[in-house]
Amino acid sequence: MEGHSPFDRTPAEAPEWLLKLMEREEVLLTPFEGSSIIVEIKEGSRNSTLTSLAGTMRARGMTEEGIYTALLAENNARCNPPLDEAEVKKIYSLGFQRVSNL
């Protein structure tokens, strides 16, 4: 529309549900309806969560190197406190042993 600019309009107010969602820090929504990723992996669930992630990545065809690199990254970014690298390597190795024994 000639002579009009988007800056001539006042934006609509955000709906309440969106404002509440933006305030949440612990959950990020994924593209899959009803699915979420917990940002922090707390002590007591670190090993099982990283094991699950490793299995998912393997099932989707990631390389062994890619999986190990991703596990280290997730451990450092999300585990509180992070596992030491030897423990992450153990999780990674056990996952591949289980698959090769099938």
Side-chain angles (χ1 to χ4, degrees):
M1 298 173 67
E2 195 172 318
H4 294 281
S5 163
F7 301 107
D8 294 339
R9 303 277 183 221
T10 303
E13 289 191 31
E16 188 67 29
W17 65 267
L18 181 58
L19 295 173
K20 286 182 180 180
L21 183 64
M22 291 170 46
E23 292 173 359
R24 294 175 68 180
E25 293 180 20
E26 74 279 3
V27 175
L28 299 174
L29 294 182
T30 67
F32 306 103
E33 185 176 335
S35 178
S36 62
I37 299 173
I38 305 300
V39 173
E40 181 179 69
I41 303 170
K42 296 183 179 180
E43 193 167 9
S45 64
R46 298 170 299 171
N47 288 53
S48 61
T49 301
L50 291 179
T51 300
S52 175
L53 288 171
T56 300
M57 290 184 274
R58 174 139 178 121
R60 294 188 175 270
M62 284 184 67
T63 65
E64 291 184 28
E65 181 181 350
I67 293 169
Y68 183 65
T69 302
L71 287 177
L72 288 174
E74 288 297 297
N75 178 57
N76 290 329
R78 297 175 53 200
C79 288
N80 185 18
L83 297 169
D84 60 49
E85 187 171 347
E87 186 68 17
V88 175
K89 190 170 189 171
K90 181 178 169 185
I91 292 168
Y92 162 81
S93 297
L94 288 173
F96 280 96
Q97 283 178 0
R98 283 189 202 130
V99 171
S100 63
N101 289 335
L102 294 178

